[in-house]
Amino acid sequence: MSRQNILITGASSGLGYTMAKMYAEQGRNLALCARRVERLEELRDEIAKLNPDVKVAVRSLDVNDHDQVFEVFKAFADDLGHIDRVIVNAGMGKGASLGTGYFHANKQTAITNFVSAIAQCEAALELFRAQNHGHLVTISSVSAVRGFRRAMTVYAATKAALSNLTEGIRIDLIGTPIKATTIHPGFIRSEINEKVKTVPFIVDTETGCKSILKAIEKEGASYYVPGWPWELMCRIMKIMPIGMLKKMS
Ligand SMILES: NC(=O)c1ccc[n+]([C@@H]2O[C@H](COP(=O)([O-])OP(=O)(O)OC[C@H]3O[C@@H](n4cnc5c(N)ncnc54)[C@H](OP(=O)(O)O)[C@@H]3O)[C@@H](O)[C@H]2O)c1
């Protein structure tokens, strides 16, 4: 089934921004949101040059304002007629070892990446249940498979929770035409990791997003992308002694 109208949260930079451009090249209509709406407007102008036939709706959204999440998703459905796919992508990676004075940053990451993802999934599924079709995609991370230390402690926990949430939603939707997919990206260059110099197996944004889009199109339960090396790495990570995990963050 072709998912023509696609809503992406966190579309002002990194993966969301690049996925939007790639979908525009394929002729899909887009509903794009983030807090930095000026970046979305620039992206809309760029897409208009790239493919003038594509409809692009942009709206400002702070996903931590949960009432606004529901309002903006409904407004996008009105803008484009309906929404076929929602990509819950907005996320952040601030934080530090617990007990070192960074509770505020750890809490902000927990709320943005998990509680606000629930709001986005709720708002998406309200639309999908009403129209009896749709594809929900959540952008988790390979860090969901194990615990990690330092800045990644809370981040990895939010991604594990998000993967679990999406699996639960998929089970809940068995027997309906609505689908749910979790994407676990490996390291892809973007603003989230621009200050981190050595990142294992990192790929550029284009390469990473091509793999993500290919996986999304399959509409299965869960994918590790790019497939090489992350499908194998995640199997290994699941049984890795914690001393080895210590070296990975
Ligand atoms: N890059 C990687 O290596 C990697 C790997 C695994 C998973 N991921 C996940 O991929 C997703 C996208 O990350 P990225 O790498 O593209 O990072 P990024 O370049 O920092 O982009 C993050 C996006 O999320 C948006 N966002 C953050 N907080 C928000 C809020 N409160 N309300 C609305 N939007 C918000 C940002 O928009 P505004 O600031 O304009 O609001 C921005 O568009 C995240 O969920 C991240 O955890 C990334």
Side-chain angles (χ1 to χ4, degrees):
M1 181 189 288
S2 163
R3 308 286 187 182
Q4 185 59 23
N5 296 344
I6 301 175
L7 189 163
I8 306 176
T9 68
S12 62
S13 69
L15 311 190
Y17 185 96
T18 307
M19 287 192 284
K21 273 175 68 175
M22 289 178 169
Y23 275 133
E25 280 164 6
Q26 297 174 8
R28 317 281 185 110
N29 300 320
L30 292 158
L32 306 175
C33 52
R35 292 166 301 183
R36 290 170 293 178
V37 75
E38 65 291 346
R39 289 218 189 174
L40 299 174
E41 285 161 356
E42 283 167 27
L43 175 57
R44 181 180 58 195
D45 296 345
E46 211 179 313
I47 289 172
K49 287 183 209 140
L50 208 70
N51 190 344
D53 297 331
V54 163
K55 286 186 211 150
V56 183
V58 303
R59 289 179 180 272
S60 162
L61 174 63
D62 181 340
V63 293
N64 295 336
D65 179 341
H66 300 148
D67 290 341
Q68 204 195 11
V69 171
F70 289 86
E71 284 159 24
V72 166
F73 279 31
K74 281 195 190 103
F76 274 141
D78 291 339
D79 290 338
L80 297 182
H82 65 275
I83 300 292
D84 298 303
R85 173 177 290 150
V86 171
I87 305 181
V88 177
N89 168 71
M92 56 176 291
K94 278 189 201 156
S97 299
L98 272 72
T100 63
Y102 288 89
F103 176 63
H104 179 71
N106 285 330
K107 183 174 138 186
Q108 201 187 343
T109 296
I111 292 173
T112 306
N113 291 5
F114 185 57
V115 181
S116 299
I118 300 175
Q120 292 162 76
C121 292
E122 288 266 9
L125 288 168
E126 274 188 11
L127 297 177
F128 294 165
R129 286 185 194 276
Q131 67 195 21
N132 204 29
H133 73 89
H135 182 206
L136 174 71
V137 179
T138 59
I139 304 296
S140 177
S141 162
V142 293
S143 65
V145 302
R146 289 298 293 272
F148 287 87
R149 65 174 178 156
R150 296 180 174 160
M152 281 182 71
T153 310
V154 169
Y155 178 82
T158 66
K159 293 303 186 179
L162 181 61
S163 299
N164 220 319
L165 174 78
T166 315
E167 185 173 48
I169 291 170
R170 190 173 170 95
I171 296 167
D172 209 20
L173 293 170
I174 288 173
T176 79
I178 305 165
K179 300 261 179 66
T181 298
T182 317
I183 301 293
H184 299 91
F187 299 109
I188 299 170
R189 198 46 89 186
S190 76
E191 283 180 17
I192 214 168
N193 51 39
E194 65 190 351
K195 291 194 183 121
V196 193
K197 284 204 181 86
T198 41
V199 187
F201 307 114
I202 194 156
V203 294
D204 63 76
T205 325
E206 294 271 315
T207 305
C209 287
K210 262 189 208 159
S211 298
I212 293 176
L213 258 55
K214 211 171 145 194
I216 289 175
E217 228 46 49
K218 294 181 197 159
E219 302 198 358
S222 165
Y223 302 96
Y224 299 92
V225 292
W228 172 257
W230 291 107
E231 280 167 10
L232 177 65
M233 273 304 296
C234 286
R235 283 186 192 196
I236 296 170
M237 276 157 59
K238 278 179 190 164
I239 53 166
M240 223 178 228
I242 55 170
M244 282 177 81
L245 285 171
K246 189 177 170 187
K247 293 190 182 127
M248 290 188 70
S249 58

